[in-house]
Every structure is written in structure tokens, then in C-alpha cells.
Amino acid sequence: MRALTHLRSLLGSILEKKGAAWPDKATIEPPKDKQFGDMACNVAMLTAGKLGMKPRDLAEVLKSELLAADPALSKVEVAGPGFLNVTFAPAFWQKTVEEVLEVKHCFGKFNLGRGRKVQVEFVSANPTGPLHIGHGRGAAVGDCVARILRAMDYEVSTEYYINDAGRQMRLLGESIWVRCLELLKKPVTYPEDWYKGEYIIDLARELLTLKGSALCDLPPAEGQDICYEYGMKSILDGIKKDLADFRVEHQVWFSEKSLVAAGAVERTLEDLKSRGLAYEDDGAAWMDTTRYGDDKNRVLRKSTGELTYFASDIAYHADKYARGFNTVVDIWGADHHGYVPRMKAAVQALGRDADDLKVILVQLVNLLRGGEQIAMSTRAGQFETLADVCAEVGVDAARFMFLSRKSDSHLDFDLDLVKQQSMDNPVYYVQYAHARICSLFAKAAERGVAMPECSPALLARLDTPEDLDLMRLMEQYPDTLANAAQTLSPHVVSFYLRELAGLLHRYYSANPVLAASDEDLMRARMLMLAAVAEVVRSGLELLGVSAPEKM
């Protein structure tokens, strides 16, 4: 961040004096091959024509003026048709250590969001059964997105939409009801697609203990309503506990049933009709979503009078925007990808920009044990619950693994691997980087070596390629957080931490610290490793993962 903004400021000032504005398509970024310097810029090629110059000629002028303007630049080269390859002096990178140690946990965080209000709605699983690992991945992604946005000065509210209305909830009541009948040895007719898990039997047993056998003497509709209410509350309580144990907070729990009961869905439908965006056809109510790019129009109310999920979702999103959110982030399973265009259409019909709705799709998790995939089916009752996985591998390992890949990529979660204390385990690999540094400082304290005061003179000893690589990567941390916030991609923080941990482990093995060749070099390396520990701890905190001092 500092390297990019510093070079951008220098070049912008030089171009302004020549009467040229900074072009929108100009880029400043680290080159793929570090032999070409620390930063590469294409601004000369984009500006030369406006100044009546050839790109390479302008690049040569910019090179001379850059070197004259700032001693922090040790080398500037012109390459190809007019690229500027810039190398910063070691003192520039050494200042990164000073900056990290000065602001500590605040390093990398700045006011990117400027207080804009964002709502992140995630998990929102039907309360028809315990959370499984697919829900766990969505929970980790949503919680991490919220943490990152807050760190970058967005005002964030997290929400769980309780799907407590509709067919799935009726089916939950029917499933518990038939299990109650079974337990009392009464005749049973099994509903289609009912929930068969052991937890349904447990709920039926609990309910019979509370209500007695008289429950099953009630008319089926009345008995099923009691089963539904009891089952939903019990399951939702379990979901809340599982999420709290997983370090996930939802500030708002929003009931779909309350939305329907308040007439919000009907009011939204009437509003759409009044503006010519919804219409009646063949006894059903439809929305004209094709005008906003959807491939076909969508049903809002079936000819039977039953509202669709889409109708409720439109009313729900209208409620979100009415609460003052600038941006709404929805996190869905990847099987909902076809739902994105119609919701984008709905948001536009509500008078918002399509980009005011951001959708993150979360792919399936393949759970492995002993190299073999574990078969899972929620309705058949064959699945690994989030609680069980966390109990086996720990919350840290589960969260890190869920965030270890881009959310819309399939994820293989190897239970055996993440329990290993080895460098092959990505969770251990990163956490051990922090613990390794803490262990070093503990040894230093035992020897009476205190953490030194930071000074440019001391940091000047950090001038080897390995030193500079670590400091360059630390300096990229603010850019990493900005990228994660702007693209809603928490995995980039995970990727960054693994890269930083890798550099730290290699550095630690090749460069003695407490046994350095002289005292000043030892103290300089201690300062740099202290800065690395701060960045690792900060990144892990954003992932919701602990930074242990011992392992």
C-alpha cells in the first residue's frame, strides 16, 4: 500500500506539472519476476500521446525526474515499449517494520468503507436439522467477510434469515409427527421426502415426554403444528449454539413468518403491480423480470394462492434497503447460482442499482476421512454436523480450512490432515509461524534479552534479500485487506498468511536470530520478527482463528 501510493503520488505530481492527468487505466503493481524491481507502471504508454511524445521517451524523462525527486528510489529502469520498473531502497522497506510496530493490530486497516452501511446475510439454513459442514463453510465465509469489512471502516450488520414458513417447515412437523406415532406403535403413513435423521426421533421422544401420548390423539393437523413449533425452536436453539461455538455472531435473526404476517409480501406485490412490474396471468401473479435481464418472467403467487419464495425474498430485500443499508451481501449455496439474475432483477425493480446486491456463492465441501469421501444427505440423515467436525478437529482448523480456498471452488476437507501437527497441515503451518516467533522471544527473555527500541539505524542492518522479501510482503498486507474487502474474498487473506508463514519459516531456518553474528543484527532481526508476528496475528484474527504462543 505505502509503495503503491508513494509511487503514484510521485508520478502524479510529475505528470501534473507537465499538464497531464493520471489516466484511469494506469496500473502500478509488483512485477511477476522480482528481477524487474519492486513496482512496474505503464503510465508512460498511456500518457505519451497527450504530451506529444513517444512512450519510451516519456518513460526516460519520468525515470530521471523520479530519481531526482526521492532518494527512497534506488533504481528506475525503462523496459519494453515504455514500462517503468522501480526499485525502492532498503530504507523504504525497513520503515514497514517501524510502522507495524507503531500501530500494531491496526496495521493494514484504513477507512476504505468510510462508514458505508453493509448488511451481510449468511447461513440462513432452514431450521429443519442441525448445521452440516456445508453450512459451516458459509458461516466462516460470512463471518470473515463481516470482520474484514469492519476492519476497513464499513458499518456492518450481520443477519440470519429464518425460513420458518413454507413447505419445508410443514414437512418438519410431519416428520416429527410420524416418529411420535411410531414410538407409540400407532399406524403410520410416511410423507414424501420426509426428514429421516436420528435427530427427528430424538425430537419426537422429547416431545412425547413433555406432552404425553395424548399428543397423538389430536387431529393430525393440530398435532403436526405442535411438532413443527417444538421442532423448529429446538433446532434453531441448536443452530444458535453451534454458531456461537464456531465464533460466529448474527446480530439480527429475521423471521420469514413475521414478514408474511405483517403483510409486507402483499404490500410489495401491490407496489410492483402499481408500477407495471407485476401482472396476473392464468390465475397466478408474475413479475416482469426480463426487462432487467432475467431469461424469463417469474411467478410471485401460484394459481393455488401460495406465495413463492421469490415473493418473500423481494419483500425481505425491500425491508433491508428500507433499513438504510447501502449494500446488501447475500451468501448462498452454489446450487442457487440460477437465482442470482432474478434477485438482481428484483433489486432493480425496487429502485436500487443491481450492484447494491452482492451475492457470494459457496461451493460444496467434500469431507474426507482416511482418503475416503464421507457420503452426506441431510434428508436421509447421513451427514457430518458442524458441531461434530469442530469437536474432532477444533474450531481453528475448521474455520481456516473453510477459508483456505475461493468460496465458489469445491473444497476437500481432510479430517486426518488437519489434525496433524506437521507443515503439510495449512492451519498448523500458519499458526506455527506465530508460535515460533513467540517461542524465540521467550528464549530471549530467559537469557535476559529484551525487545529493543525501534530505530532507523538498527533497522538498517536488515538489508539481505531474505530481509527485504519479508518486509516487502508485510508491506502488501494493507493491499491484501483492501482487495479482500472490495471483492468480498476472504480467501485472499488465507493465501497471504500462508505465503508470509512460508517466508518466515524459510527465514528462521537460514538466519539465526539469538545467535546472530553481532548484537545489533540480533536486535534488528528481533524487531522484524515482532512485526511479522503482529501481521500474522492480525490476519488470523480476521479469519476468526487464534494465534497461539505455544504449539
Side-chain angles (χ1 to χ4, degrees):
M1 175 62 69
R2 191 164 53 87
L4 190 154
T5 55
H6 186 72
L7 184 56
R8 165 73 171 78
S9 176
L10 287 174
L11 284 168
S13 178
I14 294 169
L15 289 172
E16 185 179 358
K17 291 175 183 176
K18 298 181 183 301
W22 184 265
D24 292 337
K25 295 184 179 180
T27 59
I28 300 175
E29 57 191 7
K32 292 180 180 178
D33 190 334
K34 64 181 181 181
Q35 72 171 329
F36 297 118
D38 297 323
M39 290 287 167
C41 183
N42 63 352
V43 70
M45 294 181 288
L46 298 174
T47 315
K50 296 177 182 177
L51 296 177
M53 300 176 68
K54 294 179 180 178
R56 276 193 66 93
D57 291 343
L58 177 58
E60 290 289 349
V61 171
L62 294 176
K63 167 186 170 180
S64 298
E65 296 195 25
L66 280 172
L67 290 171
D70 194 342
L73 307 182
S74 66
K75 184 168 67 173
V76 180
E77 295 180 330
V78 177
F83 282 103
L84 287 167
N85 292 332
V86 178
T87 300
F88 286 86
F92 181 88
W93 301 114
Q94 292 155 6
K95 190 170 178 59
T96 301
V97 174
E98 191 174 350
E99 183 179 345
V100 174
L101 296 180
E102 180 180 350
V103 300
K104 296 189 183 299
H105 70 278
C106 293
F107 179 70
K109 302 168 185 178
F110 60 99
N111 61 340
L112 178 70
R114 301 183 185 277
R116 284 175 59 83
K117 294 184 68 176
V118 179
Q119 187 223 44
V120 184
E121 184 233 317
F122 60 109
V123 185
S124 298
N126 292 342
T128 55
L131 296 180
H132 55 64
I133 60 167
H135 298 133
R137 190 180 189 188
V141 170
D143 183 66
C144 188
V145 165
R147 288 172 186 246
I148 291 168
L149 291 175
R150 286 182 182 128
M152 304 306 281
D153 197 35
Y154 290 88
E155 184 181 332
V156 181
S157 176
T158 53
E159 187 154 317
Y160 188 116
Y161 183 56
I162 307 168
N163 293 275
D164 52 1
R167 180 175 178 273
Q168 299 305 321
M169 300 312 300
R170 291 198 304 272
L171 198 57
L172 172 68
E174 291 174 21
S175 300
I176 298 171
W177 172 254
V178 299
R179 288 302 193 187
C180 288
L181 294 175
E182 274 187 342
L183 289 169
L184 294 176
K185 310 297 184 184
K186 291 181 177 286
V188 172
T189 301
Y190 296 105
E192 186 178 353
D193 293 333
W194 63 299
Y195 295 98
K196 304 179 180 68
E198 285 293 321
Y199 69 95
I200 297 292
I201 299 174
D202 293 339
L203 289 170
R205 192 174 285 118
E206 291 169 13
L207 192 52
L208 286 174
T209 300
L210 286 172
K211 300 290 186 181
S213 60
L215 171 68
C216 293
D217 294 329
L218 295 172
E222 186 178 344
Q224 288 167 17
D225 281 347
I226 293 172
C227 290
Y228 151 71
E229 292 289 348
Y230 180 81
M232 188 195 72
K233 183 181 183 306
S234 295
I235 291 170
L236 195 57
D237 286 346
I239 287 172
K240 289 180 178 181
K241 182 182 184 305
D242 288 349
L243 289 172
D245 292 344
F246 198 50
R247 303 175 193 149
V248 171
E249 178 198 28
H250 285 93
Q251 295 164 301
V252 177
W253 294 77
F254 193 102
S255 163
E256 179 189 6
K257 199 181 232 184
S258 71
L259 194 73
V260 176
V265 182
E266 291 294 343
R267 285 195 300 272
T268 301
L269 264 58
E270 289 304 315
D271 173 63
L272 293 173
K273 286 181 183 178
S274 69
R275 294 188 289 121
L277 299 174
Y279 60 93
E280 297 282 340
D281 184 44
D282 200 21
W286 298 72
M287 181 177 170
D288 183 7
T289 53
T290 55
R291 73 167 66 188
Y292 297 109
D294 197 8
D295 59 345
K296 62 181 180 180
N297 291 339
R298 305 292 176 173
V299 177
L300 298 172
R301 188 195 298 108
K302 299 176 184 177
S303 57
T304 59
E306 182 182 5
L307 290 168
T308 63
Y309 283 119
F310 184 43
S312 296
D313 284 343
I314 299 172
Y316 178 42
H317 283 73
D319 182 87
K320 292 183 181 190
Y321 294 119
R323 284 183 264 160
F325 293 111
N326 303 109
T327 304
V328 164
V329 180
D330 288 353
I331 299 179
W332 302 339
D335 56 337
H336 286 69
H337 67 92
Y339 202 61
V340 176
R342 75 186 75 170
M343 279 312 304
K344 289 275 191 179
V347 164
Q348 292 174 82
L350 293 172
R352 306 291 301 210
D353 189 89
D355 284 340
D356 290 347
L357 171 65
K358 307 287 187 184
V359 177
I360 300 174
L361 296 176
V362 179
Q363 265 291 0
L364 296 173
V365 179
N366 297 319
L367 196 62
L368 307 176
R369 191 190 299 277
E372 296 293 325
Q373 185 171 339
I374 299 171
M376 291 184 288
S377 168
T378 305
R379 189 157 288 151
Q382 299 173 323
F383 57 90
E384 289 284 342
T385 67
L386 174 62
D388 286 344
V389 170
C390 289
E392 181 170 347
V393 304
V395 173
D396 284 342
R399 286 189 64 116
F400 194 95
M401 288 304 295
F402 287 142
L403 298 166
S404 64
R405 296 196 66 190
K406 193 175 179 183
S407 63
D408 61 359
S409 300
H410 280 89
L411 174 67
D412 287 335
F413 190 128
D414 191 321
L415 291 166
D416 295 331
L417 174 64
V418 299
K419 288 189 289 185
Q420 294 176 12
Q421 289 202 341
S422 75
M423 293 301 199
D424 293 328
N425 177 354
V427 189
Y428 181 86
Y429 190 70
V430 175
Q431 288 184 314
Y432 185 51
H434 183 268
R436 201 169 200 176
I437 296 170
C438 292
S439 177
L440 172 74
F441 293 157
K443 289 178 184 176
E446 289 172 3
R447 299 179 189 183
V449 179
M451 181 63 67
E453 290 291 325
C454 194
S455 70
L458 200 55
L459 295 176
R461 296 298 306 275
L462 302 171
D463 58 1
T464 69
E466 293 86 357
D467 294 324
L468 294 172
D469 282 346
L470 262 177
M471 292 184 287
R472 284 190 192 100
L473 189 54
M474 279 193 287
E475 198 274 339
Q476 290 177 23
Y477 184 58
D479 293 308
T480 299
L481 296 191
N483 180 23
Q486 289 168 333
T487 62
L488 303 175
S489 302
H491 71 279
V492 303
V493 177
S494 170
F495 284 9
Y496 173 87
L497 289 176
R498 277 182 283 175
E499 185 178 359
L500 183 60
L503 278 184
L504 180 278
H505 291 311
R506 289 193 292 276
Y507 185 90
Y508 191 93
S509 299
N511 298 274
V513 179
L514 298 182
S517 57
D518 63 74
E519 188 174 333
D520 279 352
L521 182 58
M522 175 192 71
R523 295 193 297 163
R525 287 177 175 174
M526 285 180 68
L527 289 169
M528 183 170 66
L529 294 195
V532 172
E534 288 288 351
V535 175
V536 172
R537 184 162 53 246
S538 170
L540 286 174
E541 181 183 0
L542 291 177
L543 298 182
V545 177
S546 69
E549 296 186 3
K550 294 180 180 180
M551 293 184 74

